[in-house]
Every structure is written in C-alpha cells, then in structure tokens.
Amino acid sequence: MEQKLDGQVFWQPEFATGIQVIDDQHRVLIAMLNEANMKINDHSPSSELDLIVQGLLNYAGYHFGTEERFAADSGYFDKQPEEASAHLAQHHAFADRVTQIKQELGSGQRISKADLVAFLKSWLINHILNTDMKLGAYLRTATG
C-alpha cells in the first residue's frame, strides 16, 4: 500500500477517491508531509517545527472545507448522517491535535520527528483510505 523511501509516502492508486479536486488536495497534503519529513529532525528549532505544523494545519483546514462543502452541496449530511458526522469529527480531532502540538511547541515542549511524522502519516492515510473513500463513493453516485 505505502511505498517507503526514507519515510516518504507516495501516491498510490488506492488513495484515489474518484473526485479530482479532493484527490489533488490529498496529493498536496502528501507532498507537504514528505517535505516536512525531509526538512525536520529532532534538533530542528521549535520555530521551524511551528511553521511546518502551521502550514499543514492551514492547508488541512482548506482541504477539510472543500470536503465539507462537497458533502453539504450533495446532501451527504442528510442522506448519510452517521458517516458525515464521523467525517466531521475526524476533521475536528485532527485540527485539535495539531493545534495542541502547536501549543506544546510554543510553550517550549519538544516533539520528536518520528512521533510527529508517524501521527501525520497514520492519520492522513487512514482518513483517506477509510473516511474519504466513503465520501468519494457517495459523491460519485450523487453527481454521476
């Protein structure tokens, strides 16, 4: 499923939701994750980590907004309320955890590169392969 080269994540066909805008944004998130993985190390200054984490948080927020607009416009919240609710909860949990990481960095706490990258990779891949696939399947049916 996931190819590894120094911890890099490569786009895989099974990541495709079939919704081009969402898939393109997922590719950007993967590229940002890979860039963060290459740029940081356990001795990176907190300010550098904070910039990377803030960039990921900003783009993830933009991406989540896209998914949530598609969901709202297609009636996903009304027709698949449990899936939609779980999807939103995952978005909020991710944003809350990344915000917590930022606060920890701001207060001088350290986070290891391995822990940060593992969290981001695990969350992103699991979210795409599970939750986003359900949304993509619904959107393909609803719009096509």
Side-chain angles (χ1 to χ4, degrees):
M1 172 190 333
E2 171 190 349
Q3 293 174 317
K4 293 183 180 183
L5 177 66
D6 290 333
Q8 300 295 297
V9 176
F10 296 93
W11 181 263
Q12 300 295 309
E14 63 262 28
F15 293 167
T17 65
I19 307 301
Q20 190 66 48
V21 172
I22 291 173
D23 290 340
D24 289 346
Q25 290 179 3
H26 286 162
R27 283 182 175 94
V28 170
L29 285 166
I30 289 170
M32 292 177 78
L33 172 61
N34 287 334
E35 182 179 1
N37 188 38
M38 289 175 49
K39 278 185 170 180
I40 63 174
N41 61 54
D42 286 337
H43 305 292
S44 295
S46 292
S47 59
E48 184 177 351
L49 292 172
D50 186 63
L51 282 174
I52 289 168
V53 169
Q54 185 62 52
L56 284 164
L57 184 60
N58 289 346
Y59 194 82
Y62 167 74
H63 169 66
F64 294 164
T66 298
E67 287 184 352
E68 292 166 15
R69 273 190 309 282
F70 276 48
D73 291 349
S74 68
Y76 189 58
F77 293 109
D78 295 326
K79 295 178 181 163
Q80 299 292 331
E82 289 181 20
E83 285 180 13
S85 178
H87 200 135
L88 287 176
Q90 287 181 18
H91 286 179
H92 292 295
F94 177 83
D96 289 348
R97 178 62 184 124
V98 174
T99 299
Q100 180 185 14
I101 290 168
K102 276 189 55 52
Q103 290 170 344
E104 290 169 0
L105 290 169
S107 69
Q109 293 181 42
R110 299 292 300 169
I111 183 168
S112 75
K113 172 186 174 174
D115 289 346
L116 178 61
V117 171
F119 162 71
L120 294 170
K121 281 180 13 180
S122 174
W123 192 93
L124 181 61
I125 290 169
N126 286 324
H127 186 74
I128 290 172
L129 291 177
N130 297 301
T131 308
D132 285 345
M133 286 302 163
K134 291 176 185 174
L135 175 60
Y138 174 83
L139 292 172
R140 288 191 314 274
T141 301
T143 61

